[in-house]
Amino acid sequence: GLWQRGGPGDLAAIRSVRDAHSAHPTPSWMLGPVGTTFEVAPDVREVEAAVAMLEGQYWNEGVEASRIRRAHLASPAWIVAKDSVGAVVGTARAVGDDAKVALIYDVAVQPGLRGQGLGRALVELLLQHPRVRDARRVLLRTRDAQRFYAKLGFSSYASSNELLGRMAS
């Protein structure tokens, strides 16, 4: 029930229990396609593999690895997929205000596993994450994956208010 409750420390507790009792079966909701499992409380043990997967992606052009690393470790909602030997093969994260909006970032799957349902399962679990699931609106930006996200219920979003932004100096 820790995932459903989603209180402070609950996701880390899931990891601690699983680490301490690795012989116990993985809960079915943490099993992904193609023999993967999901880690719902990734940390420094997974961050380097996630950063390596994300470096060079068009949305991270000009973003140093150290900043990608910090963003992941600071994200309130971050999930990774691991293969049967524990290597990170997928990653997705989100930030938000726990009420009105959540923003999805850095969804990536290792090239050899694309098209097998892992990306879909990763995003579906991220949408159920305690820090995302209650948001009234979940947003993301993509320039090449509209069809993928449309299958998950996303559509183009045009606000009646002008979206404003500010670049850090």
Side-chain angles (χ1 to χ4, degrees), residues 86-154:
V88 173
V89 295
T91 185
R93 69 182 186 94
V95 298
D97 65 3
D98 292 330
K100 296 186 288 183
V101 68
L103 304 166
I104 293 178
Y105 292 99
D106 294 326
V107 177
V109 171
Q110 288 290 358
L113 293 175
R114 292 179 187 159
Q116 299 181 54
L118 181 55
R120 179 183 185 95
L122 193 61
V123 173
E124 286 175 340
L125 188 59
L126 185 63
L127 292 170
Q128 296 170 23
H129 193 286
R131 301 294 301 271
V132 176
R133 66 178 166 224
D134 292 329
R136 290 181 10 207
R137 181 162 286 134
V138 179
L139 304 171
L140 59 87
R141 292 188 69 143
T142 183
R143 71 177 188 204
D144 62 353
Q146 290 84 353
R147 287 184 18 195
F148 170 79
Y149 288 108
K151 292 176 185 175
L152 291 161
F154 287 84

Side-chain angles (χ1 to χ4, degrees), residues 21-46:
H21 302 283
S22 58
H24 288 258
T26 299
S28 61
W29 63 271
M30 294 181 78
L31 297 174
V34 295
T36 59
T37 57
F38 294 115
E39 177 58 65
V40 297
D43 57 26
V44 295
R45 293 171 276 187
E46 291 83 24

Side-chain angles (χ1 to χ4, degrees), residues 47-48 51 55 63-74:
V47 75
E48 294 308 321
V51 169
E55 282 185 297
V63 180
E64 300 88 13
S66 61
R67 294 182 72 141
I68 297 170
R69 183 178 304 105
R70 278 196 316 270
H72 278 71
L73 293 173

Side-chain angles (χ1 to χ4, degrees), residues 144-168:
D144 62 353
Q146 290 84 353
R147 287 184 18 195
F148 170 79
Y149 288 108
K151 292 176 185 175
L152 291 161
F154 287 84
S155 60
S156 294
Y157 174 72
S159 173
S160 60
N161 298 320
E162 185 176 348
L163 181 62
L164 301 178
R166 179 170 110 36
M167 296 294 290

